[in-house]
Amino acid sequence: MQLRKKSKTNIYAIKVEEEDWAGKSHELVSTKKLCDDQKWLNVYPPTAEACMQLVLSSAPQCSDKFFNYADATADADRNCGCVSPSASCDASNLADKPRTNLYKISSSN
């Protein structure tokens, strides 16, 4: 999978092991909000699925339950957000972020 940095001249190849995300799916939990205990990975995958794969391959630093993805508007930069594994992403821990969506990761089998 190839993921791009914000600058169009910096292309990075990231090896993601399929077993990290095999059998996983994602669902949109909240629009224009993010789980507050997170850090931006500064990697800009083209889809939420690719962001999920990146987050799952970044364990143990990233949660295997949630991720933030800047895809809420057409001009969003598609930055991928790593939610802390200890984060609680309930309503009290969500922050308004107009270009970001919160996704939940679950097993698809």
Side-chain angles (χ1 to χ4, degrees), residues 94-106:
L94 300 183
D96 291 336
K97 194 74 170 173
R99 292 185 170 94
T100 303
N101 291 324
L102 173 64
Y103 290 87
K104 181 177 181 180
I105 301 170
S106 58

Side-chain angles (χ1 to χ4, degrees), residues 26-67:
H26 62 282
E27 64 179 287
L28 182 61
V29 174
S30 189
T31 59
K32 299 187 178 182
K33 293 191 180 291
L34 59 73
C35 188
D36 217 10
D37 189 4
Q38 72 104 44
K39 67 178 180 178
W40 292 111
L41 296 176
N42 295 318
V43 179
Y44 304 84
T47 65
E49 171 129 357
C51 180
M52 177 191 73
Q53 293 169 5
L54 179 64
V55 164
L56 289 172
S57 70
S58 298
Q61 296 86 4
C62 297
S63 170
D64 63 352
K65 307 277 187 251
F66 294 97
F67 66 95

Side-chain angles (χ1 to χ4, degrees), residues 13-28:
I14 296 176
K15 184 177 181 182
V16 177
E17 300 296 330
E18 185 172 345
E19 58 270 10
D20 291 337
W21 53 270
K24 300 284 186 176
S25 62
H26 62 282
E27 64 179 287
L28 182 61

